[in-house]
Amino acid sequence: MYYKGVYHLFYQYNPKGAVWGNIVWGHSISNNLINWKELEPALYPSKPFDKYGCWSGSATILPSKGPVILYTGVVDKHSNEVQCYAIPENTSDPFLKKWIKPNGFNPIVIAEHNMNGSVFRDPTTAWRGKDGHWRMLIGGRRKNRGMAYLYRSKDFMKWVQAKHPIHSAATTGMWECPDFYPVSLKGKNRLDTSLVGNSIKHVLKNSLDMTRYEYYTVGRYLWNKDTYIPDNTSEDGWGGLRYDYGNFYASKSFFDPSKNRRILYGWANESDSKEDDVKKGWAGIQAIPRTVWLDSRGKQLVLWPIEELNSLREKEVQISNQKLKKGDYVEVQGITAAQADVEVTFSFSSLDKAETFDPKWVNAQDLCAQKGSKIQGGVGPFGLLTLASEKLEEFTPVFFRIFEAPNKHVVLMCSDARSSSLKSELYKPSFAGFVDVGLANKKLSLRSLIDHSVVESFGAGGKTNILSRVYPTIAVKKKAHLFVFNNGTEHITVENLKAWSMGSAHIN
Protein backbone atom coordinates (compact mmCIF):
# COMPACT_ATOMS: atom_id res chain seq x y z
CA MET A 1 0.00 0.00 0.00
CA TYR A 2 1.72 3.17 -1.15
CA TYR A 3 0.63 6.76 -1.15
CA LYS A 4 0.92 8.48 -4.53
CA GLY A 5 3.47 10.84 -3.06
CA VAL A 6 7.05 10.18 -2.19
CA TYR A 7 7.69 9.01 1.30
CA HIS A 8 4.64 9.11 3.54
CA LEU A 9 3.16 6.01 5.16
CA PHE A 10 -0.46 5.02 5.23
CA TYR A 11 -2.32 5.14 8.48
CA GLN A 12 -4.25 1.93 8.99
CA TYR A 13 -7.82 2.19 7.79
CA ASN A 14 -10.74 -0.22 7.45
CA PRO A 15 -13.70 1.08 5.38
CA LYS A 16 -16.06 -1.00 7.53
CA GLY A 17 -15.09 1.08 10.54
CA ALA A 18 -14.24 -1.90 12.73
CA VAL A 19 -10.52 -1.31 12.90
CA TRP A 20 -8.68 1.93 13.38
CA GLY A 21 -5.30 1.99 14.97
CA ASN A 22 -1.76 3.25 14.97
CA ILE A 23 0.20 0.42 16.47
CA VAL A 24 3.69 1.73 15.90
CA TRP A 25 6.48 -0.73 16.41
CA GLY A 26 8.87 -0.24 19.31
CA HIS A 27 12.07 -1.01 17.43
CA SER A 28 13.95 -0.21 14.26
CA ILE A 29 11.54 -2.07 11.96
CA SER A 30 9.44 1.08 12.24
CA ASN A 31 11.51 2.47 9.38
CA ASN A 32 9.90 0.10 6.88
CA LEU A 33 6.85 0.61 4.72
CA ILE A 34 4.55 -2.28 5.62
CA ASN A 35 1.52 -3.78 3.94
CA TRP A 36 -0.81 -3.76 6.94
CA LYS A 37 -2.97 -6.63 5.69
CA GLU A 38 0.06 -8.93 5.86
CA LEU A 39 0.00 -8.40 9.62
CA GLU A 40 -3.29 -10.23 10.16
CA PRO A 41 -4.52 -11.33 12.57
CA ALA A 42 -2.50 -9.12 14.92
CA LEU A 43 -4.17 -5.84 13.93
CA TYR A 44 -7.65 -7.07 13.09
CA PRO A 45 -10.43 -8.34 15.40
CA SER A 46 -10.11 -12.10 15.65
CA LYS A 47 -10.67 -13.00 19.30
CA PRO A 48 -13.49 -12.56 21.85
CA PHE A 49 -11.43 -9.95 23.73
CA ASP A 50 -11.08 -7.70 20.64
CA LYS A 51 -14.23 -8.74 18.76
CA TYR A 52 -15.42 -5.15 18.30
CA GLY A 53 -12.11 -3.50 17.43
CA CYS A 54 -8.34 -3.35 17.78
CA TRP A 55 -7.04 0.04 18.86
CA SER A 56 -3.72 1.74 19.37
CA GLY A 57 -0.85 0.15 21.23
CA SER A 58 2.90 -0.14 21.52
CA ALA A 59 5.67 -2.69 21.31
CA THR A 60 8.25 -3.53 23.96
CA ILE A 61 11.40 -5.61 23.42
CA LEU A 62 11.73 -8.11 26.28
CA PRO A 63 15.25 -9.37 27.05
CA SER A 64 15.78 -12.89 25.66
CA LYS A 65 12.11 -13.08 24.60
CA GLY A 66 11.78 -10.52 21.84
CA PRO A 67 8.98 -8.06 21.04
CA VAL A 68 5.51 -8.02 22.57
CA ILE A 69 2.71 -5.77 21.33
CA LEU A 70 0.37 -4.31 23.92
CA TYR A 71 -2.85 -2.99 22.37
CA THR A 72 -6.44 -2.11 23.22
CA GLY A 73 -9.25 -4.47 22.34
CA VAL A 74 -12.93 -3.50 22.30
CA VAL A 75 -14.70 -6.37 24.00
CA ASP A 76 -18.41 -5.60 23.65
CA LYS A 77 -21.07 -3.44 21.99
CA HIS A 78 -20.84 -0.95 24.88
CA SER A 79 -17.32 0.02 23.77
CA ASN A 80 -15.68 -1.39 26.89
CA GLU A 81 -11.94 -1.48 26.31
CA VAL A 82 -9.40 -3.98 27.61
CA GLN A 83 -5.65 -4.27 27.16
CA CYS A 84 -4.34 -7.26 25.22
CA TYR A 85 -1.04 -8.59 23.95
CA ALA A 86 0.29 -10.23 20.79
CA ILE A 87 3.58 -11.98 20.05
CA PRO A 88 5.38 -12.84 16.80
CA GLU A 89 4.66 -16.22 15.29
CA ASN A 90 8.24 -16.40 14.07
CA THR A 91 10.84 -14.21 15.78
CA SER A 92 13.41 -15.05 13.10
CA ASP A 93 11.36 -13.17 10.48
CA PRO A 94 13.13 -9.78 10.22
CA PHE A 95 9.84 -8.04 9.35
CA LEU A 96 7.73 -9.86 11.99
CA LYS A 97 4.77 -10.00 9.64
CA LYS A 98 2.77 -12.72 11.41
CA TRP A 99 1.51 -12.31 14.96
CA ILE A 100 -0.63 -14.37 17.30
CA LYS A 101 -2.84 -13.42 20.24
CA PRO A 102 -2.51 -16.11 22.93
CA ASN A 103 -5.71 -17.07 24.74
CA GLY A 104 -4.01 -17.69 28.09
CA PHE A 105 -3.60 -14.29 29.75
CA ASN A 106 -5.60 -12.19 27.28
CA PRO A 107 -6.90 -9.71 28.12
CA ILE A 108 -4.08 -8.81 30.48
CA VAL A 109 -5.66 -5.63 31.92
CA ILE A 110 -9.34 -4.90 32.61
CA ALA A 111 -10.61 -1.59 33.99
CA GLU A 112 -11.45 -1.56 37.68
CA HIS A 113 -15.14 -1.46 38.64
CA ASN A 114 -14.95 2.24 39.56
CA MET A 115 -13.44 3.21 36.17
CA ASN A 116 -15.11 4.06 32.89
CA GLY A 117 -14.15 1.16 30.64
CA SER A 118 -15.08 3.02 27.45
CA VAL A 119 -12.28 5.57 28.02
CA PHE A 120 -9.43 3.24 28.88
CA ARG A 121 -6.99 2.67 26.04
CA ASP A 122 -3.65 2.98 24.23
CA PRO A 123 -0.96 1.32 26.42
CA THR A 124 2.53 2.78 26.15
CA THR A 125 5.82 1.03 25.57
CA ALA A 126 6.74 -0.50 28.93
CA TRP A 127 9.87 0.38 30.90
CA ARG A 128 11.70 -1.56 33.60
CA GLY A 129 12.28 0.02 36.99
CA LYS A 130 15.24 -0.44 39.31
CA ASP A 131 13.13 -2.95 41.25
CA GLY A 132 12.96 -5.16 38.16
CA HIS A 133 9.23 -4.57 37.64
CA TRP A 134 7.79 -3.49 34.31
CA ARG A 135 5.65 -0.39 34.10
CA MET A 136 3.29 0.97 31.46
CA LEU A 137 0.75 3.77 31.15
CA ILE A 138 -2.82 3.60 29.86
CA GLY A 139 -4.79 6.70 28.85
CA GLY A 140 -8.11 7.46 30.48
CA ARG A 141 -10.58 9.99 31.79
CA ARG A 142 -12.32 10.51 35.14
CA LYS A 143 -15.22 12.90 34.57
CA ASN A 144 -13.38 15.68 32.67
CA ARG A 145 -9.93 14.98 34.15
CA GLY A 146 -7.34 13.41 31.88
CA MET A 147 -5.59 10.41 33.42
CA ALA A 148 -2.40 8.46 32.78
CA TYR A 149 -3.01 5.23 34.70
CA LEU A 150 0.08 3.33 35.83
CA TYR A 151 0.36 -0.46 35.86
CA ARG A 152 3.18 -2.71 37.11
CA SER A 153 4.15 -6.30 36.37
CA LYS A 154 6.91 -8.73 37.37
CA ASP A 155 6.48 -11.05 34.38
CA PHE A 156 4.79 -8.81 31.75
CA MET A 157 1.62 -10.91 31.94
CA LYS A 158 0.05 -10.18 35.33
CA TRP A 159 -0.43 -6.42 35.70
CA VAL A 160 -1.50 -4.55 38.84
CA GLN A 161 -2.77 -0.98 38.88
CA ALA A 162 -0.82 1.48 41.01
CA LYS A 163 -2.67 3.30 43.79
CA HIS A 164 -2.46 6.57 41.90
CA PRO A 165 -2.02 7.62 38.26
CA ILE A 166 1.46 8.73 37.31
CA HIS A 167 -0.12 12.09 36.41
CA SER A 168 -3.50 13.70 35.70
CA ALA A 169 -4.83 17.15 34.84
CA ALA A 170 -8.25 18.72 35.32
CA THR A 171 -10.53 19.92 32.48
CA THR A 172 -8.37 18.37 29.75
CA GLY A 173 -10.74 15.54 28.81
CA MET A 174 -9.74 12.09 27.59
CA TRP A 175 -6.01 11.40 27.28
CA GLU A 176 -5.47 9.23 24.22
CA CYS A 177 -2.20 7.66 23.06
CA PRO A 178 -0.03 8.68 26.03
CA ASP A 179 3.72 8.46 25.61
CA PHE A 180 6.32 8.61 28.37
CA TYR A 181 10.08 8.59 27.90
CA PRO A 182 13.37 10.10 29.11
CA VAL A 183 15.33 12.84 27.35
CA SER A 184 18.97 13.65 28.01
CA LEU A 185 20.14 16.95 29.46
CA LYS A 186 23.45 16.35 27.67
CA GLY A 187 22.62 16.15 23.99
CA LYS A 188 20.62 13.66 21.95
CA ASN A 189 22.03 10.35 23.22
CA ARG A 190 21.22 7.90 26.04
CA LEU A 191 17.48 7.84 25.53
CA ASP A 192 16.59 4.24 26.34
CA THR A 193 13.04 4.13 27.74
CA SER A 194 14.07 2.61 31.08
CA LEU A 195 16.76 5.16 31.94
CA VAL A 196 16.44 7.26 35.11
CA GLY A 197 18.92 9.55 36.83
CA ASN A 198 20.02 13.12 37.44
CA SER A 199 21.20 13.78 33.88
CA ILE A 200 17.79 13.34 32.31
CA LYS A 201 14.27 14.67 32.33
CA HIS A 202 11.09 12.95 31.24
CA VAL A 203 8.41 13.81 28.70
CA LEU A 204 4.72 12.99 29.12
CA LYS A 205 2.68 13.37 25.93
CA ASN A 206 -1.09 13.11 25.58
CA SER A 207 -3.36 13.25 22.56
CA LEU A 208 -6.38 15.22 23.75
CA ASP A 209 -9.58 13.82 22.32
CA MET A 210 -11.47 17.09 22.87
CA THR A 211 -9.11 19.22 20.77
CA ARG A 212 -7.62 16.56 18.46
CA TYR A 213 -4.18 18.02 19.14
CA GLU A 214 -1.22 16.67 21.09
CA TYR A 215 0.35 18.29 24.12
CA TYR A 216 3.43 17.48 26.16
CA THR A 217 5.24 18.61 29.26
CA VAL A 218 8.86 18.23 30.31
CA GLY A 219 9.42 17.34 33.94
CA ARG A 220 10.78 15.00 36.59
CA TYR A 221 9.94 11.33 37.04
CA LEU A 222 10.22 10.30 40.69
CA TRP A 223 10.85 6.62 39.95
CA ASN A 224 10.78 5.55 43.61
CA LYS A 225 7.26 7.03 43.94
CA ASP A 226 6.13 6.43 40.35
CA THR A 227 5.04 10.05 40.07
CA TYR A 228 5.65 12.54 37.28
CA ILE A 229 5.90 16.27 38.09
CA PRO A 230 5.90 18.69 35.12
CA ASP A 231 8.25 21.67 35.19
CA ASN A 232 6.57 25.07 35.44
CA THR A 233 8.03 26.20 32.12
CA SER A 234 4.86 25.41 30.13
CA GLU A 235 1.17 24.93 30.69
CA ASP A 236 -0.05 21.46 31.68
CA GLY A 237 -3.11 21.56 29.44
CA TRP A 238 -4.64 22.93 26.25
CA GLY A 239 -2.30 25.91 26.04
CA GLY A 240 0.83 23.83 26.50
CA LEU A 241 3.65 22.77 24.21
CA ARG A 242 2.91 20.66 21.16
CA TYR A 243 4.98 18.39 18.94
CA ASP A 244 3.26 19.91 15.95
CA TYR A 245 0.79 22.78 15.58
CA GLY A 246 -0.96 21.32 12.56
CA ASN A 247 -2.67 18.13 11.46
CA PHE A 248 -0.70 15.74 13.66
CA TYR A 249 -2.21 13.32 16.19
CA ALA A 250 -1.95 9.96 17.98
CA SER A 251 1.84 9.89 17.78
CA LYS A 252 4.15 7.26 19.20
CA SER A 253 7.89 7.27 19.79
CA PHE A 254 10.46 4.51 20.16
CA PHE A 255 14.12 4.20 21.08
CA ASP A 256 16.44 3.22 18.24
CA PRO A 257 19.50 1.59 19.85
CA SER A 258 21.38 1.35 16.55
CA LYS A 259 21.84 5.13 16.46
CA ASN A 260 21.06 6.04 20.06
CA ARG A 261 18.09 8.21 19.18
CA ARG A 262 14.36 8.51 19.78
CA ILE A 263 12.12 8.41 16.72
CA LEU A 264 8.58 9.75 16.58
CA TYR A 265 5.71 8.90 14.23
CA GLY A 266 2.46 10.87 14.02
CA TRP A 267 -0.83 10.42 12.21
CA ALA A 268 -2.00 13.03 9.69
CA ASN A 269 -5.72 12.75 9.03
CA GLU A 270 -7.43 13.85 5.83
CA SER A 271 -8.88 17.32 5.31
CA ASP A 272 -11.11 16.44 2.39
CA SER A 273 -14.58 14.87 2.59
CA LYS A 274 -15.67 11.41 3.69
CA GLU A 275 -16.88 10.84 0.14
CA ASP A 276 -13.37 11.51 -1.12
CA ASP A 277 -12.02 8.97 1.37
CA VAL A 278 -14.49 6.34 0.18
CA LYS A 279 -13.37 6.90 -3.41
CA LYS A 280 -9.73 6.50 -2.40
CA GLY A 281 -10.45 3.43 -0.29
CA TRP A 282 -8.26 4.69 2.55
CA ALA A 283 -7.84 7.67 4.84
CA GLY A 284 -4.93 9.10 6.77
CA ILE A 285 -1.16 8.76 6.51
CA GLN A 286 1.80 8.53 8.83
CA ALA A 287 3.93 11.66 8.92
CA ILE A 288 7.65 11.68 8.25
CA PRO A 289 9.56 9.94 11.09
CA ARG A 290 11.21 12.55 13.30
CA THR A 291 14.04 12.45 15.79
CA VAL A 292 13.32 13.97 19.20
CA TRP A 293 15.63 15.56 21.73
CA LEU A 294 15.59 18.20 24.48
CA ASP A 295 16.77 21.69 23.64
CA SER A 296 19.87 23.10 25.34
CA ARG A 297 17.79 25.04 27.89
CA GLY A 298 15.85 21.97 28.97
CA LYS A 299 12.50 23.69 28.32
CA GLN A 300 11.10 22.15 25.15
CA LEU A 301 11.64 19.41 22.60
CA VAL A 302 13.22 19.76 19.19
CA LEU A 303 11.93 17.60 16.31
CA TRP A 304 13.69 17.00 13.00
CA PRO A 305 13.17 14.61 10.07
CA ILE A 306 15.30 11.48 10.41
CA GLU A 307 18.59 11.61 8.52
CA GLU A 308 17.65 8.64 6.30
CA LEU A 309 15.21 10.92 4.51
CA ASN A 310 18.16 12.73 2.92
CA SER A 311 18.88 9.63 0.84
CA LEU A 312 15.73 10.42 -1.18
CA ARG A 313 17.13 13.77 -2.31
CA GLU A 314 17.81 13.99 -6.02
CA LYS A 315 18.27 17.13 -8.14
CA GLU A 316 19.46 20.11 -6.08
CA VAL A 317 19.09 23.84 -6.71
CA GLN A 318 20.40 26.76 -4.65
CA ILE A 319 19.63 30.44 -4.14
CA SER A 320 21.98 32.77 -2.26
CA ASN A 321 21.68 36.40 -1.14
CA GLN A 322 18.35 36.96 -2.86
CA LYS A 323 16.84 40.28 -1.76
CA LEU A 324 13.07 40.41 -1.27
CA LYS A 325 11.30 43.76 -1.04
CA LYS A 326 7.68 44.19 -0.01
CA GLY A 327 5.45 42.26 -2.41
CA ASP A 328 8.27 40.28 -4.02
CA TYR A 329 8.05 36.60 -4.76
CA VAL A 330 10.73 34.63 -6.57
CA GLU A 331 10.30 31.15 -7.99
CA VAL A 332 12.57 28.29 -6.95
CA GLN A 333 13.06 26.64 -10.33
CA GLY A 334 14.58 23.37 -11.45
CA ILE A 335 12.98 20.91 -9.02
CA THR A 336 9.73 18.95 -8.79
CA ALA A 337 7.84 21.40 -6.60
CA ALA A 338 5.12 18.85 -5.83
CA GLN A 339 7.72 16.51 -4.27
CA ALA A 340 10.45 18.55 -2.67
CA ASP A 341 12.63 19.14 0.37
CA VAL A 342 13.50 22.80 1.02
CA GLU A 343 15.89 24.29 3.57
CA VAL A 344 16.19 28.06 3.75
CA THR A 345 17.68 30.71 6.03
CA PHE A 346 16.13 34.19 5.96
CA SER A 347 17.88 37.26 7.36
CA PHE A 348 16.91 40.89 7.97
CA SER A 349 18.94 43.92 8.92
CA SER A 350 16.62 45.45 11.49
CA LEU A 351 13.65 44.70 13.76
CA ASP A 352 12.62 48.36 14.04
CA LYS A 353 9.59 47.86 11.80
CA ALA A 354 8.17 44.95 13.78
CA GLU A 355 4.47 45.35 14.55
CA THR A 356 3.36 45.86 18.15
CA PHE A 357 2.27 42.65 19.80
CA ASP A 358 -1.11 42.72 21.54
CA PRO A 359 -0.99 40.67 24.79
CA LYS A 360 -4.51 39.47 23.98
CA TRP A 361 -3.06 37.42 21.13
CA VAL A 362 -2.60 34.23 23.11
CA ASN A 363 -3.86 31.90 20.37
CA ALA A 364 -1.36 31.63 17.52
CA GLN A 365 -3.85 29.99 15.18
CA ASP A 366 -6.33 32.84 15.57
CA LEU A 367 -3.53 35.36 15.03
CA CYS A 368 -2.47 33.63 11.82
CA ALA A 369 -6.06 33.73 10.55
CA GLN A 370 -6.21 37.45 11.39
CA LYS A 371 -2.83 38.34 9.84
CA GLY A 372 -2.27 35.96 6.95
CA SER A 373 0.34 36.02 4.24
CA LYS A 374 -1.63 38.49 2.11
CA ILE A 375 -1.78 41.20 4.79
CA GLN A 376 1.21 43.51 4.75
CA GLY A 377 3.30 43.63 7.90
CA GLY A 378 6.49 45.18 9.17
CA VAL A 379 8.98 42.31 9.58
CA GLY A 380 7.09 39.68 7.64
CA PRO A 381 5.14 37.87 6.56
CA PHE A 382 8.01 36.17 4.71
CA GLY A 383 8.63 32.55 3.82
CA LEU A 384 7.62 29.99 1.19
CA LEU A 385 4.64 29.67 -1.11
CA THR A 386 4.36 25.89 -1.48
CA LEU A 387 2.16 23.90 -3.87
CA ALA A 388 1.46 27.12 -5.75
CA SER A 389 -0.15 27.49 -9.16
CA GLU A 390 1.70 29.65 -11.68
CA LYS A 391 -0.65 32.62 -11.26
CA LEU A 392 -1.18 32.03 -7.52
CA GLU A 393 -4.82 31.03 -7.73
CA GLU A 394 -3.75 28.33 -5.26
CA PHE A 395 -0.87 28.26 -2.81
CA THR A 396 -0.06 27.12 0.73
CA PRO A 397 2.12 29.75 2.43
CA VAL A 398 4.50 28.76 5.22
CA PHE A 399 5.85 31.91 6.80
CA PHE A 400 7.12 33.92 9.76
CA ARG A 401 5.87 37.22 11.16
CA ILE A 402 7.74 39.09 13.90
CA PHE A 403 6.12 41.31 16.55
CA GLU A 404 7.57 43.55 19.22
CA ALA A 405 6.45 42.97 22.80
CA PRO A 406 7.81 44.57 25.99
CA ASN A 407 11.40 43.37 26.49
CA LYS A 408 11.25 40.76 23.70
CA HIS A 409 10.18 39.93 20.16
CA VAL A 410 7.46 37.38 19.38
CA VAL A 411 7.86 35.14 16.36
CA LEU A 412 4.74 33.68 14.76
CA MET A 413 5.02 30.72 12.37
CA CYS A 414 2.05 29.89 10.11
CA SER A 415 1.04 27.28 7.57
CA ASP A 416 -2.13 28.77 6.15
CA ALA A 417 -4.31 26.47 4.02
CA ARG A 418 -7.05 29.00 3.25
CA SER A 419 -5.69 29.65 -0.25
CA SER A 420 -4.48 26.09 -0.82
CA SER A 421 -7.31 24.93 -3.07
CA LEU A 422 -10.15 26.24 -5.19
CA LYS A 423 -12.35 23.49 -3.78
CA SER A 424 -14.63 25.26 -1.32
CA GLU A 425 -15.84 22.28 0.72
CA LEU A 426 -12.44 21.39 2.15
CA TYR A 427 -11.22 21.96 5.71
CA LYS A 428 -8.63 24.70 5.18
CA PRO A 429 -7.36 25.93 8.55
CA SER A 430 -4.74 28.52 9.43
CA PHE A 431 -2.35 26.43 11.50
CA ALA A 432 0.19 28.35 13.60
CA GLY A 433 2.46 28.35 16.62
CA PHE A 434 4.78 30.77 18.39
CA VAL A 435 8.51 30.11 18.06
CA ASP A 436 10.66 30.40 21.18
CA VAL A 437 13.84 31.57 19.48
CA GLY A 438 16.32 34.38 19.96
CA LEU A 439 16.78 36.93 17.17
CA ALA A 440 20.15 38.37 18.07
CA ASN A 441 21.63 37.18 14.77
CA LYS A 442 18.56 38.47 12.86
CA LYS A 443 18.02 35.14 11.13
CA LEU A 444 15.26 32.53 10.95
CA SER A 445 15.47 29.09 9.37
CA LEU A 446 12.73 27.00 7.80
CA ARG A 447 12.55 23.51 6.34
CA SER A 448 9.52 22.26 4.41
CA LEU A 449 8.90 18.76 3.08
CA ILE A 450 6.33 18.84 0.30
CA ASP A 451 4.53 15.74 -0.95
CA HIS A 452 1.46 16.47 -3.13
CA SER A 453 -1.13 16.84 -0.36
CA VAL A 454 1.27 17.20 2.57
CA VAL A 455 3.41 20.12 3.68
CA GLU A 456 5.49 19.40 6.81
CA SER A 457 7.40 22.44 8.04
CA PHE A 458 10.06 22.82 10.73
CA GLY A 459 10.80 26.29 12.07
CA ALA A 460 14.01 27.43 13.78
CA GLY A 461 15.67 24.03 13.52
CA GLY A 462 12.59 22.10 14.66
CA LYS A 463 11.42 24.15 17.64
CA THR A 464 8.00 24.82 16.08
CA ASN A 465 6.58 22.42 13.51
CA ILE A 466 3.40 22.41 11.43
CA LEU A 467 1.93 19.70 9.19
CA SER A 468 -0.84 20.66 6.75
CA ARG A 469 -3.00 18.47 4.49
CA VAL A 470 -4.00 20.39 1.36
CA TYR A 471 -5.69 19.43 -1.92
CA PRO A 472 -4.88 21.84 -4.78
CA THR A 473 -6.76 21.47 -8.04
CA ILE A 474 -4.39 23.45 -10.29
CA ALA A 475 -1.04 23.22 -8.49
CA VAL A 476 -0.64 19.47 -8.97
CA LYS A 477 2.25 17.38 -10.24
CA LYS A 478 4.21 19.34 -12.91
CA LYS A 479 1.93 22.35 -12.53
CA ALA A 480 3.00 22.90 -8.91
CA HIS A 481 5.41 25.76 -8.22
CA LEU A 482 7.50 26.91 -5.27
CA PHE A 483 8.28 30.54 -4.39
CA VAL A 484 10.05 32.54 -1.70
CA PHE A 485 8.17 35.71 -0.78
CA ASN A 486 8.08 38.78 1.42
CA ASN A 487 5.06 40.94 2.22
CA GLY A 488 6.60 43.12 4.91
CA THR A 489 8.04 46.61 4.64
CA GLU A 490 11.38 45.39 6.07
CA HIS A 491 13.51 43.94 3.27
CA ILE A 492 14.30 40.25 3.68
CA THR A 493 17.29 38.35 2.34
CA VAL A 494 17.17 34.70 1.32
CA GLU A 495 20.64 34.17 2.68
CA ASN A 496 20.86 30.55 1.60
CA LEU A 497 18.29 28.20 0.11
CA LYS A 498 18.77 24.58 -0.93
CA ALA A 499 15.95 22.59 -2.49
CA TRP A 500 15.85 19.03 -3.76
CA SER A 501 13.49 16.99 -5.87
CA MET A 502 12.56 13.91 -3.84
CA GLY A 503 12.69 10.31 -5.04
CA SER A 504 10.31 7.55 -4.03
CA ALA A 505 10.90 5.30 -1.04
CA HIS A 506 11.24 1.61 -1.88
CA ILE A 507 11.75 -1.54 0.15
CA ASN A 508 13.98 -4.15 -1.44
Side-chain angles (χ1 to χ4, degrees):
M1 297 172 66
Y2 290 88
Y3 180 50
K4 290 183 179 179
V6 186
Y7 37 70
H8 284 80
L9 304 182
F10 271 116
Y11 188 87
Q12 182 190 342
Y13 174 74
N14 184 336
K16 295 180 180 179
V19 182
W20 173 287
N22 68 328
I23 293 177
V24 177
W25 307 94
H27 210 258
S28 56
I29 62 169
S30 298
N31 295 330
N32 296 308
L33 289 166
I34 295 172
N35 185 333
W36 292 104
K37 288 192 175 181
E38 290 183 359
L39 296 172
E40 293 187 65
L43 300 181
Y44 287 77
S46 61
K47 297 282 187 173
F49 45 80
D50 62 15
K51 180 179 179 180
Y52 292 89
C54 297
W55 296 84
S56 298
S58 309
T60 302
I61 310 299
L62 302 186
S64 74
K65 292 184 179 180
V68 177
I69 288 177
L70 301 176
Y71 72 98
T72 297
V74 184
V75 72
D76 57 32
K77 294 181 179 179
H78 303 291
S79 299
N80 281 307
E81 298 163 342
V82 296
Q83 314 314 315
C84 314
Y85 80 101
I87 56 177
E89 182 178 272
N90 178 12
T91 55
S92 63
D93 175 8
F95 294 104
L96 301 176
K97 291 185 290 186
K98 295 183 179 181
W99 293 71
I100 58 176
K101 307 169 185 175
N103 292 323
F105 286 98
N106 268 319
I108 56 174
V109 176
I110 300 174
E112 300 293 327
H113 69 277
N114 61 342
M115 296 167 57
N116 184 346
S118 67
V119 283
F120 181 63
R121 53 184 174 268
D122 309 335
T124 66
T125 298
W127 71 95
R128 204 169 193 174
K130 289 187 176 182
D131 57 5
H133 292 190
W134 291 98
R135 290 156 170 81
M136 70 168 171
L137 303 183
I138 300 173
R141 173 172 60 83
R142 182 179 296 164
K143 295 184 178 180
N144 202 32
R145 173 178 285 271
M147 310 289 287
Y149 295 110
L150 175 70
Y151 284 78
R152 303 188 188 99
S153 175
K154 294 181 180 180
D155 59 4
F156 217 83
M157 291 293 104
K158 296 180 181 178
W159 293 86
V160 178
Q161 184 182 0
K163 293 182 179 179
H164 55 79
I166 196 169
H167 188 58
S168 68
T171 70
T172 54
M174 173 65 192
W175 284 4
E176 294 190 305
C177 300
D179 202 5
F180 187 65
Y181 55 88
V183 285
S184 175
L185 289 169
K186 300 178 180 179
K188 307 174 187 179
N189 296 329
R190 296 179 294 171
L191 300 175
D192 182 273
T193 309
S194 295
L195 280 179
V196 294
N198 295 327
S199 63
I200 67 174
K201 287 190 176 183
H202 271 73
V203 173
L204 178 61
K205 186 275 301 186
N206 305 294
S207 304
L208 296 193
D209 189 36
M210 294 179 69
T211 65
R212 307 306 291 177
Y213 295 132
E214 298 200 304
Y215 303 81
Y216 74 87
T217 54
V218 178
R220 292 179 296 137
Y221 170 44
L222 306 181
W223 61 267
N224 55 337
K225 297 181 180 179
D226 274 330
T227 298
Y228 170 76
I229 302 175
D231 294 344
N232 60 2
T233 52
S234 65
E235 181 181 329
D236 188 9
W238 290 16
L241 295 168
R242 288 160 54 179
Y243 285 158
D244 191 292
Y245 291 82
N247 193 343
F248 189 91
Y249 193 72
S251 69
K252 178 63 189 173
S253 71
F254 69 92
F255 174 64
D256 174 14
S258 65
K259 293 191 175 180
N260 238 9
R261 59 183 175 174
R262 180 158 293 273
I263 297 178
L264 174 77
Y265 281 94
W267 168 41
N269 201 357
E270 304 301 313
S271 296
D272 55 0
S273 68
K274 293 180 181 178
E275 291 74 21
D276 290 328
D277 294 342
V278 171
K279 290 178 183 178
K280 289 180 294 190
W282 56 270
I285 61 170
Q286 293 284 10
I288 287 297
R290 308 174 181 187
T291 53
V292 183
W293 68 91
L294 189 64
D295 77 340
S296 59
R297 298 176 300 165
K299 292 178 60 177
Q300 71 166 93
L301 297 177
V302 179
L303 279 65
W304 197 250
I306 59 171
E307 61 185 66
E308 288 84 351
L309 188 69
N310 296 353
S311 66
L312 300 180
R313 291 172 169 174
E314 295 181 342
K315 185 176 182 180
E316 177 184 337
V317 298
Q318 295 189 40
I319 295 176
S320 299
N321 299 316
Q322 174 70 56
K323 305 293 183 182
L324 296 176
K325 299 178 182 179
K326 184 188 69 175
D328 285 350
Y329 60 96
V330 175
E331 184 167 7
V332 181
Q333 297 180 323
I335 60 168
T336 55
Q339 300 177 180
D341 185 359
V342 188
E343 293 192 45
V344 57
T345 299
F346 298 99
S347 64
F348 37 89
S349 60
S350 172
L351 291 168
D352 293 343
K353 297 178 182 178
E355 303 161 81
T356 301
F357 184 76
D358 188 334
K360 296 179 182 178
W361 293 337
V362 295
N363 187 302
Q365 190 163 330
D366 290 345
L367 181 56
C368 179
Q370 178 182 338
K371 292 181 174 290
S373 64
K374 299 177 183 179
I375 298 178
Q376 177 187 313
V379 186
F382 61 87
L384 301 174
L385 302 180
T386 71
L387 295 175
S389 57
E390 184 178 9
K391 297 181 180 179
L392 298 183
E393 299 97 334
E394 295 178 333
F395 61 93
T396 300
V398 184
F399 61 92
F400 297 110
R401 197 174 190 124
I402 302 175
F403 301 89
E404 183 178 11
N407 304 317
K408 66 175 183 178
H409 285 88
V410 177
V411 179
L412 177 72
M413 176 179 167
C414 299
S415 182
D416 192 347
R418 289 178 296 176
S419 56
S420 62
S421 176
L422 295 179
K423 293 180 69 174
S424 59
E425 67 273 17
L426 299 174
Y427 174 53
K428 297 185 283 189
S430 304
F431 288 132
F434 294 113
V435 189
D436 187 6
V437 60
L439 297 175
N441 63 356
K442 297 184 177 61
K443 295 181 182 182
L444 279 171
S445 67
L446 177 66
R447 182 179 183 182
S448 287
L449 296 161
I450 304 159
D451 190 11
H452 293 285
S453 72
V454 187
V455 181
E456 290 194 53
S457 299
F458 302 81
K463 285 192 169 185
T464 298
N465 313 298
I466 305 175
L467 187 154
S468 292
R469 297 299 311 274
V470 293
Y471 306 90
T473 62
I474 303 174
V476 297
K477 297 182 180 179
K478 294 183 179 180
K479 293 184 178 180
H481 299 261
L482 173 68
F483 300 90
V484 288
F485 83 99
N486 174 35
N487 200 19
T489 54
E490 175 66 32
H491 295 181
I492 301 297
T493 299
V494 179
E495 194 166 280
N496 185 42
L497 179 147
K498 292 184 179 181
W500 297 264
S501 298
M502 295 296 282
S504 297
H506 297 286
I507 295 178
N508 297 322

